[in-house]
Amino acid sequence: MAEAARRDPVSRSRLPDEEVRARLVRLEETLELIEKTPGPAGELALSAVAELAHIYGEALARAVDHAAAAQQPELLDALVRDELIDHLMVLHEIHPEPLEPRVERAIAQLRPAIEERGGRITLRGVEHDVATVELTVEGCGSTAQGMHDAVRQTVLDLAPELADVAVIAKRPPSTAAPAFVPLTKLTTQTTGANS
């Protein structure tokens, strides 16, 4: 069993995503406390964290470079699909996938849920670090706002280097035939009411 784990490093147990998220929250809280620490001790601690992050970023960049040089697209794809590695590659500006395809991937993730609710979603483009998304939804304002917020958050999760996500909300065209009341019907009723 141990021999199999050595041969297949992916089969080794890793932290579940929920635990990684919890540790990231704790790390952020710790960094906030360090930032509030006055004097040289706080500055030294922040400097050490920054240098450590830089070294780990360089190591990750080299791993991505090795995978690309070895022409192993399946390995690069596995790195991109791993939520933690994906975010770290964006953080260190070494993501192998360009920005617009990542935004398209976020839209593709959202599309089934939006279509299930009778809506449509389309990426209009990415320009000057702003992704423009067209969202066509039915329903009340709170439903539309909830979908608007979900679109914005999902896109920013996969492309956090964006400055903003502009969501253009549209209403679907009405399929009901417009009510037509002949003018003579209106004038007859008005005239009859005056008599």
Side-chain angles (χ1 to χ4, degrees):
M1 184 69 146
E3 181 63 32
R6 264 191 302 243
R7 280 180 280 147
D8 183 11
V10 177
S11 69
R12 292 185 201 152
S13 63
R14 296 284 182 232
L15 290 175
D17 287 343
E18 300 78 33
E19 178 62 23
V20 170
R21 287 186 198 104
R23 287 180 183 218
L24 286 172
V25 167
R26 288 194 303 271
L27 175 61
E28 194 167 315
E29 290 169 351
T30 303
L31 288 173
E32 286 175 8
L33 288 173
I34 292 172
E35 286 177 346
K36 293 176 184 176
T37 303
E43 292 169 12
L44 186 61
L46 285 175
S47 177
V49 169
E51 287 301 323
L52 184 62
H54 184 76
I55 292 296
Y56 281 128
E58 178 62 22
L60 181 59
R62 290 179 185 197
V64 170
D65 288 347
H66 289 309
Q71 297 180 351
Q72 295 184 358
E74 65 282 348
L75 177 56
L76 285 174
D77 187 52
L79 294 173
V80 167
R81 283 182 285 126
D82 184 288
E83 183 181 355
L84 178 60
I85 296 173
D86 186 64
H87 285 295
L88 287 173
M89 289 188 299
V90 169
L91 176 70
H92 292 285
E93 299 177 350
I94 57 171
H95 205 290
E97 187 178 25
L99 178 62
E100 194 157 336
R102 280 186 282 131
V103 175
E104 283 281 9
R105 191 158 39 100
I107 300 299
Q109 286 178 7
L110 290 162
R111 189 168 282 120
I114 289 173
E115 287 177 350
E116 187 177 287
R117 291 168 178 79
R120 286 190 326 269
I121 185 167
T122 308
L123 175 63
R124 289 288 187 197
V126 178
E127 194 171 319
H128 305 297
D129 294 330
V130 176
T132 303
V133 177
E134 185 177 294
L135 179 64
T136 306
V137 293
E138 295 178 353
C140 65
S142 63
T143 301
Q145 186 60 46
M147 290 176 96
H148 175 281
D149 294 344
V151 165
R152 189 170 191 286
Q153 190 57 53
T154 301
V155 171
L156 286 173
D157 283 349
L158 281 178
E161 70 270 41
L162 285 170
D164 198 10
V165 177
V167 180
I168 302 169
K170 290 191 163 190
R171 290 262 184 227
S174 177
T175 55
F180 176 75
V181 179
L183 184 59
T184 55
K185 189 82 166 157
L186 288 174
T187 54
T188 307
Q189 288 177 351
T190 306
T191 307
N194 290 337
S195 304

